[in-house]
C-alpha cells in the first residue's frame, strides 16, 4: 500500500490548525462583543402590552436591563414570550449599540369560560389566564362546557365549543340587542345549543346550534315588529329555528335566572 505524500499530511494538518485558529478568533470576538460596555442594554423598549406589566414582559423574555444586547438570544426570547396566553404575537430586536425592542400583540379576552374555575378566553378560543379570585371582571360568562370540549393545540374545534366560537364571531360584529357587549351569560346546551342572556329587554334567547348570522338578522327584524306590540317587561324568545314564526313570552318576575330554572 502506497504511503500518503508528505505534502498531503502538511495540508491536512494546516487545515486543522487553521480551523482551530478560526474558532479561537470567533470565541475571542464573541467574548469581546458580549462583554463590551458600549453594548450594554441602556434602553429597553416594550410596546403593545396592555394587560402584562413591563416587568412581566422582561421576565418572560429573560431580558435583564443593563445586560449585553448581544447576549440575548432573540429567537429564544420570542419563544419564551409566546408561552404566555396573553401574547398572540411577539418580535424581539436589537438596535446597536445599546437598545433592545420588544413588540407585542396581546389577546383580548371576550368571555369568562366557567369550567368549575373561570378562565379568560379570546375570540380564537385560546385560554388566556385564570380569572383571579375576587375579580370584578364583567365579561359574559360561558357555562355548559367541559375541559374535554376544548380544542387541543393544532386541532380544529368541534361540537358545542365550535358552535360557541361561531356565535362569538357573529355577536362581536353585531350592534343589536344581542351584541357581545350586551350579553351577560351564554349557556351551551349539548342538545339544544346556545341560550344567551342579556341585561336588556330581550332577557333570554334560544339560538340553537347554528345559523347564528341568519338568526341575528331575523331577531333584528322581529325586534322592530315587537315594538309597541309585545307585552311590557322583559321577554324570553324561545324559538328562532322556524322560518315562519318566533315564539315569545314575558319573563316572569324580576330574577334574570328564573327563566333558566323554569326551562
Amino acid at each position: 500500500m502506497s504511503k500518503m505524500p508528505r505534502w498531503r499530511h502538511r495540508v491536512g494538518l494546516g487545515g486543522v490548525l487553521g480551523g482551530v485558529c478560526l474558532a479561537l478568533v470567533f470565541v475571542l470576538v464573541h467574548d469581546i462583543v458580549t462583554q463590551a460596555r458600549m453594548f450594554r442594554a441602556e434602553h429597553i423598549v416594550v410596546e403593545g402590552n396592555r394587560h402584562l406589566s413591563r416587568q412581566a414582559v422582561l421576565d418572560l423574555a429573560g431580558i435583564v436591563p443593563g445586560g449585553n444586547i448581544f447576549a440575548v438570544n432573540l429567537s429564544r426570547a420570542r419563544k419564551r414570550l409566546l408561552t404566555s396566553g396573553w401574547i398572540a404575537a411577539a418580535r424581539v430586536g436589537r438596535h446597536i449599540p445599546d437598545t433592545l425592542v420588544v413588540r407585542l400583540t396581546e389577546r383580548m379576552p371576550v368571555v369568562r369560560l366557567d369550567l368549575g374555575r373561570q378562565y379568560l378566553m379570546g375570540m380564537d378560543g385560546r385560554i388566556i389566564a385564570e380569572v383571579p379570585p375576587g375579580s370584578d371582571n364583567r365579561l359574559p360568562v360561558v357555562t355548559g362546557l367541559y375541559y374535554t370540549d376544548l380544542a387541543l393545540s393544532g386541532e380544529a374545534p368541534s361540537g358545542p365549543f365550535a358552535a360557541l366560537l361561531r356565535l362569538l364571531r357573529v355577536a362581536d360584529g353585531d350592534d343589536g340587542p344581542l351584541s357581545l357587549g350586551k350579553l351577560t351569560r351564554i349557556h351551551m346546551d349539548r342538545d339544544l345549543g346556545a341560550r344567551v342572556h342579556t341585561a336588556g329587554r330581550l332577557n333570554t334567547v334560544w339560538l340553537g346550534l347554528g345559523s347564528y348570522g341568519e338568526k341575528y338578522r331575523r331577531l333584528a327584524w322581529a325586534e322592530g315588529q315587537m315594538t309597541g306590540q309585545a307585552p311590557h317587561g322583559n321577554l324570553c324568545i324561545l324559538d328562532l329555528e322556524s322560518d315562519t314564526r318566533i315564539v315569545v313570552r314575558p319573563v316572569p318576575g324580576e330574577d334574570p335566572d328564573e327563566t333558566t330554572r323554569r326551562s
Side-chain angles (χ1 to χ4, degrees):
M1 181 179 295
S2 60
K3 295 183 179 179
M4 183 179 294
R6 289 186 178 180
W7 64 270
R8 290 192 177 181
H9 282 289
R10 292 170 183 169
V11 170
L13 182 59
V16 172
L17 291 176
V20 171
C21 291
L22 186 60
L24 291 174
V25 169
F26 281 136
V27 170
L28 180 61
V29 171
H30 176 270
D31 288 345
I32 292 174
V33 169
T34 56
Q35 295 177 22
R37 294 181 61 84
M38 67 177 295
F39 296 126
R40 291 179 58 181
E42 301 293 346
H43 307 285
I44 301 177
V45 179
V46 178
E47 299 176 348
N49 58 314
R50 297 179 58 185
H51 294 88
L52 293 174
S53 69
R54 171 187 170 87
Q55 189 58 52
V57 172
L58 297 183
D59 290 344
L60 273 171
I63 295 176
V64 179
N68 190 284
I69 64 172
F70 288 101
V72 177
N73 185 313
L74 303 184
S75 176
R76 185 181 303 163
R78 176 180 174 276
K79 290 178 181 178
R80 287 173 56 120
L81 288 167
L82 293 176
T83 62
S84 169
W86 282 107
I87 300 175
R91 296 179 62 185
V92 183
R94 60 173 71 94
H95 293 169
I96 297 173
D98 59 1
T99 302
L100 289 170
V101 179
V102 180
R103 292 188 174 93
L104 307 176
T105 300
E106 285 191 347
R107 287 184 175 86
M108 295 298 296
V110 294
V111 294
R112 290 174 290 156
L113 185 60
D114 192 334
L115 300 173
R117 300 166 70 174
Q118 289 195 2
Y119 300 89
L120 296 174
M121 191 184 85
M123 186 65 68
D124 59 356
R126 173 75 180 265
I127 300 298
I128 295 174
E130 186 173 358
V131 178
S135 170
D136 61 351
N137 190 296
R138 297 185 180 181
L139 291 173
V141 178
V142 176
T143 58
L145 295 178
Y146 301 91
Y147 285 101
T148 53
D149 292 319
L150 304 184
L152 298 177
S153 178
E155 293 186 359
S158 60
F161 189 64
L164 170 65
L165 298 185
R166 293 195 299 270
L167 172 58
L168 291 178
R169 286 192 290 269
V170 172
D172 187 50
D174 188 77
D175 59 0
L178 297 188
S179 63
L180 188 56
K182 295 177 182 178
L183 299 183
T184 58
R185 181 182 171 202
I186 304 171
H187 181 76
M188 299 302 299
D189 187 281
R190 311 188 78 79
D191 298 315
L192 301 176
R195 181 177 71 234
V196 300
H197 301 258
T198 80
R201 190 185 182 203
L202 291 181
N203 181 274
T204 305
V205 180
W206 292 83
L207 291 170
L209 286 168
S211 302
Y212 297 129
E214 175 60 26
K215 289 172 183 176
Y216 264 63
R217 286 189 289 271
R218 295 183 62 222
L219 184 61
W221 173 85
E223 185 187 26
Q225 297 298 310
M226 288 187 295
T227 302
Q229 300 181 27
H232 294 292
N234 292 340
L235 302 175
C236 172
I237 296 185
L238 298 176
D239 184 7
L240 279 172
E241 297 286 351
S242 173
D243 292 332
T244 59
R245 68 173 188 166
I246 295 178
V247 179
V248 182
R249 80 175 184 192
V251 175
E254 298 297 327
D255 185 352
D257 288 329
E258 187 169 346
T259 302
T260 302
R261 291 196 295 270
R262 289 173 178 242
S263 58

